[in-house]
C-alpha cells in the first residue's frame, strides 16, 4: 500500500545547510565549508540554500546593503557551483523563495519560549551593540534557522562552531513540538550538527581569513591578483634582510603553506627559513602556484556559468521546486498535528 508517511529510505540521510549571501566567497569558505558540502552531496540528500532572510536581520537598514543582496546571492551560488557543488546531486535554492519556511517559523513560535531565544549567545552580544539591531527578527533568527532545518527533517547540519547553539535550539524546539502536538508519533526529527573542522584558514595577515578583515583571497581572484597578494604578505618580522634567519612559526605565510604544500616543500621551507638559505619570495612561489592550481577548475566552471547567467537562475529555480515538494509535505503533517487541517 503506498503510504503518505514521510519516512525516508533508510540509506539516504538528509543534510541541510544555509549560508548568508556575503557575495563572492574566499579560500576560507572553500576549505571550511564548500569542500565539505562537495563530499556530503555524494552520500546524502543535501539541501543547500542562500539564507537571504537571515542576511536581512542585520542588513535591513541601509539601502546600499539591501541592494547588494541580489548580486551577492548569485555571486555566491556561482562559487558553490565553481567549487563543485553539483545541482544534480544537491538541491540548491534561495530561502526567500520558500514562504513555507516562514509558515513553519510562525507555527513553531507558538511553542517556543522567548527565554530560549534570549539566552542564545550572539543575540545578547549583537543586541547590546545597539545600532538598531535589537529587533524581533534578530531575536527570532535561531528559530527561523530551526524552521529551515526542520522543514526538511534534516538529520545533519554542517555548520561552524558558532552555530552549534542554533542546532541545539533546533533540537529543543523539535522535542517540544513533538511533545506538545504529537507525542505518540513524533513528526520532527532532532538534527545533529556536523561541526566543520576548526582548522580555519588564516588570511594574508595571519588572522582568520574573512572578507570584512580585508585579508582574504577570493576563490575567483585572478592569478595576477593572487600572486600580488601573496608577494606583498608580511613575513617573519624578525627576518628583515635575506641573511637574517627566520622562524616559520612567526610568519603568516607558514599556516597557508601547511594547507597548500606537501611535506617535502614544508621541510624545504623550515630548513631554508631557519638557515636563511631561501628568500621569502622564493618561499612564497610554491604557495602561489598551489593556489593557482586549485583555482583552475573553479575558474573554468565559473566562467561557464558567468557566460550563461540564465542557467544559474534555472538551477536555483529547479532546486526551489524540489525543496518545495519536501517542505509542503512536512507542513501538511505539522498543520494536521496542530489541528489546522481544515
Ligand atoms: N545562521 C547560519 C550562518 O550564519 C546560516 C543559516 C541559516 C543556516 N539557516 C540555516 C545554517 C540552517 C544551517 C542550517 O552561518
Ligand atoms: Fe615566512 Fe617563508 Fe620568509 Fe620564512 S622564508 S619568513 S616562512 S615567507
Amino acid at each position: 500500500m503506498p503510504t503518505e508517511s514521510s519516512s525516508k529510505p533508510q540509506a539516504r540521510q538528509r543534510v541541510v545547510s544555509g549560508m548568508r549571501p556575503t557575495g563572492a566567497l574566499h579560500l576560507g569558505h572553500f576549505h571550511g565549508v564548500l569542500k565539505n558540502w562537495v563530499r556530503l552531496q555524494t552520500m546524502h540528500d543535501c539541501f543547500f540554500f542562500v539564507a537571504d532572510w537571515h542576511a536581512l536581520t542585520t542588513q535591513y537598514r541601509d539601502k546600499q546593503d539591501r541592494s547588494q543582496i541580489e548580486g551577492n546571492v548569485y555571486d555566491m551560488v556561482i562559487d558553490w557551483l565553481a567549487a563543485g557543488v553539483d545541482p544534480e546531486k544537491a538541491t540548491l535554492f534561495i530561502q526567500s523563495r520558500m514562504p513555507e519556511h516562514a509558515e513553519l517559523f510562525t507555527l513553531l513560535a507558538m511553542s517556543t519560549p522567548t527565554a530560549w531565544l534570549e539566552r542564545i549567545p550572539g543575540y545578547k552580544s549583537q543586541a547590546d551593540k545597539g545600532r538598531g539591531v535589537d529587533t524581533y527578527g534578530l531575536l527570532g533568527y535561531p528559530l527561523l534557522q530551526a524552521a529551515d532545518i526542520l522543514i526538511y527533517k534534516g538529520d545533519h547540519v554542517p555548520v561552524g562552531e558558532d552555530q552549534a547553539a542554533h542546532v541545539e535550539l533546533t533540537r529543543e524546539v523539535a522535542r517540544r513540538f513533538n511533545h506538545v502536538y504529537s507525542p505518540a508519533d513524533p513528526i520532527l526529527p532532532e538534527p545533529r550538527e556536523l561541526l566543520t573542522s576548526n582548522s580555519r584558514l588564516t588570511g594574508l595577515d595571519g588572522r582568520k581569513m574573512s572578507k570584512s578583515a580585508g585579508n582574504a583571497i577570493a576563490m575567483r581572484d585572478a592569478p595576477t591578483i593572487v600572486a600580488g597578494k601573496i608577494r606583498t604578505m608580511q613575513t617573519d618580522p624578525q627576518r628583515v634582510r635575506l641573511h637574517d634567519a627566520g622562524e616559520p612559526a612567526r610568519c603568516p605565510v607558514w599556516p597557508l603553506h601547511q594547507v597548500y604544500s606537501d611535506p617535502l616543500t614544508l621541510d624545504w621551507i623550515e630548513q631554508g627559513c631557519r638557515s636563511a638559505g631561501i628568500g621569502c619570495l622564493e618561499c612564497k612561489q610554491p604557495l602561489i602556484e598551489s593556489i593557482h592550481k586549485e583555482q583552475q577548475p573553479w575558474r573554468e566552471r565559473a566562467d561557464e556559468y558567468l557566460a550563461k547567467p540564465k542557467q544559474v537562475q534555472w538551477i536555483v529555480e529547479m532546486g526551489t521546486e524540489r525543496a518545495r515538494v519536501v517542505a509542503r509535505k512536512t507542513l501538511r503533517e505539522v498543520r494536521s498535528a496542530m489541528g489546522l487541517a481544515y
Side-chain angles (χ1 to χ4, degrees):
M1 185 184 85
T3 77
E4 249 289 274
S5 110
S6 62
S7 62
K8 297 160 263 179
Q10 277 304 312
R12 296 294 278 183
Q13 299 217 301
R14 289 208 186 124
V15 169
V16 181
S17 200
M19 212 189 271
R20 287 162 160 252
T22 49
L25 302 180
H26 54 62
L27 303 181
H29 292 114
F30 178 78
H31 288 278
V33 183
L34 294 177
K35 208 164 61 177
N36 201 25
W37 285 13
V38 169
R39 192 176 56 84
L40 290 167
Q41 71 183 356
T42 61
M43 309 183 282
H44 302 299
D45 264 340
C46 292
F47 294 80
F48 298 136
F49 65 93
V50 181
D52 54 347
W53 279 338
H54 279 107
L56 285 172
T57 58
T58 49
Q59 282 178 267
Y60 72 99
R61 274 193 159 217
D62 190 293
K63 181 142 184 264
Q64 181 88 21
D65 282 354
R66 288 196 308 273
S67 61
Q68 265 177 17
I69 293 180
E70 179 176 356
N72 284 352
V73 166
Y74 284 102
D75 276 340
M76 188 168 85
V77 173
I78 287 175
D79 282 340
W80 292 1
L81 298 167
V85 177
D86 180 351
E88 303 275 319
K89 297 191 181 114
T91 299
L92 310 181
F93 61 98
I94 299 176
Q95 184 185 37
S96 65
R97 298 290 314 281
M98 299 289 301
E100 289 81 359
H101 291 212
E103 181 176 345
L104 185 60
F105 171 63
T106 301
L107 295 176
L108 294 174
M110 307 313 169
S111 51
T112 304
T114 340
W116 288 7
L117 296 169
E118 281 162 349
R119 67 155 200 246
I120 297 267
Y123 168 69
K124 258 199 80 50
S125 63
Q126 290 252 33
D128 286 346
K129 281 190 220 147
R131 293 203 309 253
V133 292
D134 46 350
T135 58
Y136 178 65
L138 192 70
L139 179 66
Y141 183 117
L143 187 61
L144 178 58
Q145 185 163 347
D148 295 336
I149 298 165
L150 295 174
I151 203 156
Y152 303 107
K153 302 194 175 185
D155 299 292
H156 304 288
V157 186
V159 282
E161 270 167 29
D162 60 318
Q163 300 288 313
H166 295 173
V167 183
E168 191 186 346
L169 174 86
T170 305
R171 285 195 289 277
E172 287 169 338
V173 166
R175 205 174 306 144
R176 174 106 157 198
F177 178 94
N178 291 332
H179 176 74
V180 172
Y181 299 108
S182 191
D185 180 20
I187 292 174
L188 302 175
E190 293 178 27
R192 306 234 48 105
E193 60 270 29
L194 285 178
L195 283 189
T196 320
S197 75
N198 36 6
S199 66
R200 295 170 177 168
L201 202 66
T202 60
L204 299 166
D205 55 3
R207 292 179 299 155
K208 182 186 176 224
M209 189 178 286
S210 83
K211 195 174 173 179
S212 56
N215 64 357
I217 295 175
M219 285 178 63
R220 282 185 276 136
D221 268 349
T224 49
I225 301 282
V226 173
K229 284 181 174 176
I230 303 277
R231 285 198 189 112
T232 52
M233 272 181 82
Q234 295 282 352
T235 60
D236 175 359
Q238 296 179 29
R239 193 169 187 211
V240 185
R241 280 186 242 0
L242 187 58
H243 59 260
D244 296 334
E247 172 48 53
R250 286 193 300 256
C251 176
V253 180
W254 179 241
L256 285 172
H257 266 302
Q258 285 174 306
V259 173
Y260 282 97
S261 298
D262 56 32
L264 244 109
T265 311
L266 293 177
D267 267 2
W268 171 74
I269 294 168
E270 281 192 292
Q271 303 202 6
C273 181
R274 288 179 186 142
S275 65
I278 59 170
C280 289
L281 281 176
E282 206 180 335
C283 168
K284 288 169 170 179
Q285 194 52 34
L287 176 60
I288 293 171
E289 279 159 25
S290 300
I291 297 177
H292 282 170
K293 197 160 146 222
E294 177 178 61
Q295 287 180 309
Q296 183 67 25
W298 301 343
R299 193 165 302 115
E300 281 165 17
R301 280 190 288 252
D303 282 346
E304 256 178 66
Y305 289 113
L306 287 165
K308 292 181 274 179
K310 278 254 150 55
Q311 188 164 355
V312 181
Q313 283 172 359
W314 176 246
I315 285 169
V316 169
E317 210 55 46
M318 296 297 292
T320 304
E321 289 318 308
R322 256 180 6 221
R324 204 181 304 286
V325 172
V326 179
R328 288 212 165 137
K329 196 164 172 191
T330 306
L331 269 180
R332 276 201 298 277
E333 295 171 10
V334 165
R335 287 194 205 113
S336 136
M338 293 180 76
L340 291 169
Y342 38 80

